[in-house]
Amino acid sequence: MTVEKQITLILVLQLLSSVESQVNPAVCRYPLGMTGRQIPDEDITASSQWSESTAAKYGRLDLEEGDGAWCPEMPVDPEELTEFLQIDLRVLHFITLVGTQGRHAGGHGNEFAQMFKINYSRDGTRWISWRNRHGSQVLEGNVNPYDIVLKDLEPPIIARFLRFIPVTDHSMNVCLRVELYGCAWLDGLVSYNSPSGQQFLLPEGQIVNLNDTIYDGAVGYSMTEGLGQLTDGVSGLDDFTLTHEYHMWPGYDYVGWSNESFPNGYVEIMFEFDRIRNFTTMKVHCNNMFSKGVKIFKEVQCFFRSEANEWEANSVISVLIMDDANPSARYVTVQLHNHMARAIKCQYYFADSWMMFSEITFESDAAMYNNSLSPPRPASVPTTYDPTLKIDDSNTRLLIGCLVAIIFILLAIIVIILWRQFWQKMLEKASRRMLDEELTVSLSIPSDSNTYNANRRHESMSTSEHESNSTYDRIFPLGPDYQELTAQAVVEEEAGYSAGKLALPTNADGVPHYAEADIVNLQGVTGGNTYSVPAITMDLLSGKEVAVEEFPRKHLTFKEKLGEGQFGEVHLCEAEGVEDFLDKDLILDTNIGLPTLVAVKMLRADANKNARNDFLKEIKIMSRLKDPNIIRLLAVCIAEDPLCMITEYMENGDLNQFLSRQQAENEPCSAALNITYSDLRYMAAQIASGMRYLSSLNFVHRDLATRNCLVGRNYTIKIADFGMSRNLYSGDYYRIQGRAVLPIRWMSWESILMGKFTTASDVWAFAVTLWEMLTFCQEQPYSEMSDEQVIENTGEFFRDQGKQVYLPQPEICPDKVYKLMLSCWRRETRVRPSFQEIYQLLQPDPNLEN
Ligand SMILES: *[C@@H]1O[C@H](CO)[C@@H](O)[C@H](O)[C@H]1NC(C)=O
Ligand SMILES: *[C@@H]1O[C@H](CO)[C@@H](O)[C@H](O)[C@H]1NC(C)=O
Ligand SMILES: *[C@@H]1O[C@H](CO)[C@@H](O)[C@H](O)[C@H]1NC(C)=O
Ligand SMILES: *[C@@H]1O[C@H](CO)[C@@H](O)[C@H](O)[C@H]1NC(C)=O
Ligand SMILES: *[C@@H]1O[C@H](CO)[C@@H](O)[C@H](O)[C@H]1NC(C)=O
């Protein structure tokens, strides 16, 4: 027998993978068919039933059939969790979200499950208890028999069978209606077996645990028969010691091995699939932080097995040519040359002392994930084929021709209308864009589900302008006063525009008040900047040229990637001789003799025209901002592509890391700076001062947080804006459908609920930032609450019935300052303090400091 090996050379440069070949947990949130009935009755079973009319098949979310829900025969006993509702999805699915509801039955029912657990299985025999990332099994359920409660599954589940197990704190009757959300698991992977992840010892003595925490098989020296972090859809960051998941230990995202334990020079991982598949590629997301001895594997050899127990002699060898000096983590694509197999075994060869993977995905049988946004239909709905439908060929062609023509004409008309309206409507649109985005931050629920929540008592605010599928109206049913307020706000806004309000709005004393209606937002194209600027200022700006100079690109030396957005990247660079390009009034915070560190925001060369225009606009605005506490735009490179803007960077990095680092270093008796309350107060006063400047120009920052403030020498602070593009802080942003990303924990209630961003909402965010500082950034604001709970809490702020939860007073925070924070979180924007007042209050207090 000849041993045939296919050898491939892979050139690893910047391999950006196509999104469609991987499951994207942010998009994979389609209802799987309890409500929509794609799951047939016979696939819904249960441990028992109370009566025929409360059988398992009535456990469909939002439907009211039979007696309104599934109910088990006996009351659920907190000691014995034996009752369950089971769903068979027929094939493996990636499940990201579950919804539960009690029995309402038009007002007759009053049973619901306060809590529940989930068991799942891929083969129907081995059942696994789901646990969240902290190891807890119990999920919060319903609080009344009618509202739907949605729970994100973190980590997501890959399974065919799912059991909902009601949990109670005392013996009680329980009924349940459920829905699953996710998509088909096209990888088909049933398990991977691999050596267990190991511990990495940083030189500072910190242990980075690279184990596979959510692996659901057996774990010993090696891991068998399970899936875990390599398939959870979360890829790791460039720096493996950081993590995507908040509150997790360093290295959480990666599974890693040291070459010391593998004398053969490779790590072998075996993958088993649900059936024989025709494999095109394998993608491995690898860390490549070579400064710490971590590299992408240098070679991989894969073996294939079909039905028989023997591994085929034919194997695929891929040799990687690494000639770049790019330390970014990335996907490496390995061609599998259409081998047919049910199991694959790959040996990954070490290129250095460590190898770390965060995701492995397989593409087979030309199956593609549908990762397009806001799909109108659930992905799992089988396309119905009606055999009685016969097609008359000639007529069809004619019909298609006509339809195509009509569509073209309509499109042309639409384009013309849009074009004409574009300029005049732009200002109006921009201010509503945020609102729009937030409200459609919703589940991928088909748009015809207006009756989705049968118990919704009021039409939601979104119905006026948007499809009423907002998650929010389900998370907290809105009262009628809420609706009125919104309608009124919209009317005001429109009136403001049609009346051609152009003067800067001021109150009697000539102080600009919060010009809610006149704010136009300019969303930074690189994913970060979100300053807003009133229309009048924009007109002024457009007349003038950019006030900064062109900088020769070749004098920039790349140091580190700070972040990445949809259209560009932010790099930390050294700029040689940048001093010569600056205004005379600007003195940089640099060490004499050392090259100047700058942040370079870069627009990708392939960005579209709109993105380019926005980028140039951003430059114009930035170049006008001159304040000692605002990051300055130093120079630009706009003579040729890629367009860049060069801004200051400060030697101590961002305030969040600065403070949390100090705190960590303070414990062992090191020479760390001992930051006192008065240092913190001094820094906060500088932020207030910078914000006072922005608000005097009617600029709204919209993302004030410690991660967006930079620290220089002697605790100088400058406010910057690229936080949103930094992967490190992705946990601070709430994302659904991979689209809108919102720093909800810093946002005022009116920003979250109504999309209103004003100086008053910046004041709110300032108080959250102050709170972060006084707790040394040891935890995220409201860290006890899930994102959904934070949004719920926002609703309480709106309702103002005393049920809202405020951030607690930090230990070192004087009462006076806590009172200030509380005043920044007042419900009415007009009674929140101004930045001027805040700045005054943060001046040194001789009684507290000496
Ligand atoms: C759920 O799974 C666990 C094993 O992980 C098992 O002990 C338990 O009995 C299962 N419960 C049900 C109701 O299937
Ligand atoms: C992985 O490491 C963490 C942190 O040290 C530890 O708490 C956890 O028990 C480990 N998990 C497994 C499965 O080894
Ligand atoms: C696997 O798929 C490729 C392309 O889709 C096809 O050309 C090839 O014939 C398939 N192989 C088998 C054995 O079916
Ligand atoms: C592990 O890798 C390092 C760096 O490439 C090398 O110096 C060392 O000899 C390797 N150890 C083993 C056991 O192969
Ligand atoms: C993917 O989803 C989009 C948007 O819903 C839809 O138009 C398209 O047909 C889908 N594609 C596939 C292959 O299902």
Side-chain angles (χ1 to χ4, degrees), residues 80 92 101 171 321 378 426 517 595 748 760 788 809:
E80 274 179 58
L92 292 176
Q101 196 180 17
S171 179
I321 304 169
M426 202 172 88
S748 65
E788 285 75 16
Q809 180 168 4

Side-chain angles (χ1 to χ4, degrees), residues 637-771:
C637 311
I638 49 176
E640 57 189 86
D641 277 336
L643 305 183
C644 295
M645 55 177 115
I646 302 173
T647 63
E648 285 179 282
Y649 191 77
M650 303 223 279
E651 60 187 33
N652 282 321
D654 75 64
L655 180 58
N656 186 292
Q657 289 195 303
F658 179 74
L659 288 180
S660 45
R661 196 163 62 221
Q662 301 300 339
Q663 186 68 357
E665 283 168 10
N666 268 347
E667 277 151 23
C669 43
S670 73
L673 302 162
N674 219 339
I675 299 188
T676 61
Y677 169 72
S678 78
D679 299 327
L680 293 172
R681 186 204 44 72
Y682 171 58
M683 292 193 275
Q686 291 177 70
I687 299 176
S689 173
M691 292 306 298
R692 181 181 56 176
Y693 171 76
L694 283 186
S695 67
S696 72
L697 297 175
N698 262 8
F699 274 77
V700 178
H701 187 289
R702 306 207 304 180
D703 194 11
L704 183 61
T706 53
R707 62 181 174 275
N708 279 334
C709 298
L710 294 181
V711 187
R713 253 169 300 156
N714 299 329
Y715 304 119
T716 51
I717 296 279
K718 294 193 184 203
I719 300 167
D721 71 308
F722 40 69
M724 231 155 133
S725 56
R726 289 194 73 161
N727 292 336
L728 175 54
Y729 296 110
S730 60
D732 289 348
Y733 294 92
Y734 180 59
R735 63 181 75 221
I736 283 188
Q737 291 199 349
R739 199 150 76 105
V741 279
L742 303 171
I744 51 169
R745 286 162 202 270
W746 283 259
M747 280 163 69
S748 65
W749 71 265
E750 75 274 9
S751 304
I752 293 181
L753 297 181
M754 290 154 58
K756 280 189 181 276
F757 289 86
T758 60
T759 294
S761 56
D762 276 353
V763 165
W764 180 298
F766 173 84
V768 180
T769 308
L770 184 57
W771 182 89

Side-chain angles (χ1 to χ4, degrees), residues 15 26 73 82 116 123 130 159 175 200 254 259 303 305 310 312 321 350 383 440 622 630-631 667-668 673 754 807:
L15 280 180
E73 186 182 1
T82 48
F116 62 99
D123 57 7
W130 179 83
C175 298
F200 187 105
Y254 285 99
N259 70 348
F303 299 88
R305 191 179 73 191
E310 301 232 329
E312 286 167 20
I321 304 169
F350 286 93
T383 33
T440 48
M622 285 284 290
I630 304 283
I631 281 289
E667 277 151 23
L673 302 162
M754 290 154 58
L807 290 167

Side-chain angles (χ1 to χ4, degrees), residues 196-197 199 207-215 219 223 249-250 252:
S196 292
Q199 292 190 340
I207 292 173
V208 179
N209 215 318
L210 297 162
N211 63 10
D212 191 340
T213 322
I214 58 168
Y215 192 74
V219 182
M223 306 189 286
W249 54 85
Y252 181 83

Side-chain angles (χ1 to χ4, degrees), residues 363-588:
E363 214 178 306
S364 56
D365 300 342
M368 285 289 170
Y369 288 100
N370 194 347
N371 282 347
S372 48
L373 297 172
S374 57
R377 296 248 118 226
S380 60
V381 185
T383 33
T384 43
Y385 170 68
D386 184 350
T388 59
L389 233 176
K390 285 219 177 70
I391 294 171
D392 180 343
D393 222 30
S394 58
N395 278 350
T396 315
R397 269 188 220 142
L398 201 67
L399 201 65
I400 290 176
C402 287
L403 281 176
V404 167
I406 290 170
I407 288 171
F408 269 106
I409 293 168
L410 283 177
L411 275 180
I413 293 172
I414 289 170
V415 165
I416 292 167
I417 293 175
L418 286 181
W419 185 247
R420 285 179 49 152
Q421 290 185 346
F422 180 71
W423 292 107
Q424 72 191 61
K425 281 281 174 77
M426 202 172 88
L427 300 176
E428 221 173 316
K429 254 204 303 236
S431 74
R432 270 200 231 123
R433 188 165 58 200
M434 278 307 293
L435 182 66
D436 203 84
E437 262 173 29
E438 274 138 65
L439 290 173
T440 48
V441 169
S442 60
L443 300 162
S444 309
I445 291 160
S447 54
D448 55 358
S449 66
N450 273 346
T451 53
Y452 189 74
N453 185 347
N455 308 297
R456 187 165 50 205
R457 280 152 297 177
H458 308 285
E459 274 307 320
S460 75
M461 58 178 283
S462 54
T463 43
S464 53
E465 297 193 56
H466 315 280
E467 285 167 341
S468 65
N469 289 321
S470 149
T471 321
Y472 306 136
D473 53 346
R474 233 164 305 116
I475 291 172
F476 47 88
L478 299 164
D481 46 349
Y482 187 78
Q483 189 196 347
E484 269 164 38
L485 189 134
T486 312
Q488 191 187 331
V490 170
V491 171
E492 265 173 27
E493 216 170 307
E494 270 162 6
Y497 281 107
S498 52
K501 249 203 253 173
L502 269 178
L504 279 178
T506 55
N507 62 17
D509 340 316
V511 182
H513 72 71
Y514 306 128
E516 294 171 347
D518 298 70
I519 282 161
V520 171
N521 85 57
L522 289 165
Q523 177 98 37
V525 286
T526 39
N529 180 287
T530 45
Y531 289 125
S532 298
V533 60
I536 181 74
T537 319
M538 263 192 55
D539 286 345
L540 288 177
L541 286 171
S542 57
K544 296 185 192 168
E545 279 312 301
V546 176
V548 288
E549 292 197 48
E550 178 80 14
F551 184 77
R553 199 178 295 266
K554 58 179 186 292
H555 291 178
L556 290 173
T557 319
F558 174 83
K559 296 270 293 180
E560 192 189 318
K561 186 157 104 188
L562 293 176
E564 197 170 354
Q566 193 186 352
F567 296 110
E569 295 186 353
V570 183
H571 293 172
L572 180 63
C573 294
E574 283 174 359
E576 207 186 309
V578 74
E579 300 80 6
D580 306 339
F581 291 82
L582 305 177
D583 282 2
K584 303 297 159 278
D585 64 317
L586 185 62
I587 298 143
L588 288 181

Side-chain angles (χ1 to χ4, degrees), residues 81-84 119 127-129 163 165:
L81 300 177
T82 48
E83 301 291 356
F84 59 81
N119 269 15
W127 288 88
I128 305 162
S129 302
R163 279 179 184 172
I165 305 166

